């Protein structure tokens, strides 16, 4: 099987670019994950996965990541992305991500509430939640936000 | 290279939640795959991949999966998802997935027809097709359906 | 960790089918990647990744791929997809992909410009760019285009 990640790092960022995809690239760079090959996963914190504050992954690495992202080229658009990682006492956890046209606080609230619901649904006790979020108002150039739980080794 | 999966299991489910993403989480739980890290793949059954009725995968595992899913928060919406796995006599097979605003039967028909077309196009004989599908009508809370071909080891 | 790819191949293709997903399947076959399990990645060329003209990957392999794709069932729609891989002198590179309702030339221009921007942003010198693109006008049946940078081993 594919190796199960052992570490999790929670990041967020925003960026602008000449195109929506380069704005996304710049948001990833701002979040510290712009030089990785993100593989989108949905969205479980593996058991015994350790929270690590600082990423240390070589460029180009295939990196399983649960993330929410949004890009816009509409001037004045307020966009936000948030991710929440819920840690249990002794088992796996859950990760929830969100992006939308809202404030950072609203996005944070949403992912927190979703993690709480996912834990309730599983009958598990929520020991801790770690959240990262980003918000921006799009200016003259396209903008993007991203919030990510990076799973690594 | 990444290890090629050796087993396939076909599942489907539906669920409700306070948000569309937790409805999706509950649909995944109903399908028996809510505690995995799904990695979306498009969509080939590897050669010598064995059909297994029951999943046995530790939580948090990175799990290559071909799936169709749809979430809705519009009360009264009928949503369905289906997946079909086509098995050949001696070689790889194909997987087709679909989700939309339709009945389970329509979704099933569609994925069957798509697998048949994919086999015809490749000049391969279709030995067997395995289908899973789910349907729901959205009520007061957001709902989601998922149908998945899980590839594992 | 997951093994980092060592080779890159750049391909594109278009196809028609009875459904949008089988049109996509046929576009993948035309591009030479229809029998792989593509895992979408975003979008870095790993360091020391070698450009290889011809793919040689067994069917069903899990294959990290950066791609742009678009399917349409609207007769007369012009659709295009392009991918560009930027090579640096001594380090990792970047990959940009695009799909939209435009000509092949417009899609190519867009991915080239995005790779140039991503290199400028990183303060890196762009040694070479490799582009692949496809375009079609949708006829009576659904059509699809795909352009992909396939990362392999």
């Amino acid at each position: 099987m594919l190796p199960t990640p052992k570490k999790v790092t929670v990041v967020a960022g925003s960026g602008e670019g000449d195109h929506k995809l380069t704005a996304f690239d710049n948001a990833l760079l701002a979040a510290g994950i712009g030089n990785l090959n993100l593989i989108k996963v949905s969205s479980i914190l593996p058991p015994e996965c350790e929270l690590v504050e600082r990423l240390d992954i070589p460029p180009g690495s295939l990196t399983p990541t649960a993330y929410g992202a949004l890009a816009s080229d509409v001037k004045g658009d307020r966009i936000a992305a948030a991710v929440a990682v819920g840690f249990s006492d002794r088992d796996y956890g859950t990760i929830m991500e969100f992006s939308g046209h809202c404030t950072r606080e609203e996005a944070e609230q949403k992912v927190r509430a979703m993690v709480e619901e996912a834990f309730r649904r599983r009958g598990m006790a929520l020991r801790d939640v770690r959240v990262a979020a980003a918000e921006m108002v799009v200016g003259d150039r396209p903008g993007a936000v991203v919030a990510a739980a990076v799973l690594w080794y």
Side-chain angles (χ1 to χ4, degrees), chain A:
Chain A
M1 50 182 291
L2 299 171
T4 300
K6 303 276 175 230
K7 298 176 182 172
V8 61
T9 301
V10 184
V11 298
S14 62
E16 297 187 315
D18 292 344
H19 305 83
K20 286 205 273 185
L21 186 57
T22 51
F24 178 56
D25 184 40
N26 285 328
L28 291 174
L29 285 169
I33 54 176
N35 292 328
L36 303 177
N37 272 314
L38 304 183
I39 294 179
K40 195 163 185 129
V41 296
S42 76
S43 318
I44 294 297
L45 180 72
E48 297 170 45
C49 207
E50 182 196 0
L51 179 66
V52 176
E53 298 298 331
R54 236 186 121 74
L55 281 172
D56 181 18
I57 310 180
S61 298
L62 300 176
T63 309
T65 305
Y67 62 93
L70 190 62
S72 168
D73 51 12
V74 177
K75 191 173 171 171
D77 254 9
R78 181 179 306 274
I79 53 177
V83 68
V85 181
F87 296 84
S88 73
D89 262 328
R90 333 167 286 192
D91 209 340
Y92 66 90
T94 67
I95 307 172
M96 292 282 161
E97 61 279 347
F98 175 79
S99 64
H101 290 80
C102 62
T103 65
R104 176 187 172 133
E105 286 70 31
E106 289 166 317
E108 284 184 0
Q109 262 182 336
K110 208 149 189 160
V111 290
R112 272 185 197 279
M114 291 195 292
V115 161
E116 288 163 8
E117 183 185 347
F119 268 70
R120 266 200 316 276
R121 167 68 180 79
R122 287 170 173 82
M124 284 164 51
L126 185 56
R127 177 168 58 80
D128 196 16
V129 183
R130 192 55 84 96
V131 176
E135 173 190 337
M136 74 178 296
V137 176
V138 179
D140 288 326
R141 305 168 74 208
V145 287
V146 65
V150 183
L151 301 174
W152 52 298
Y153 298 94

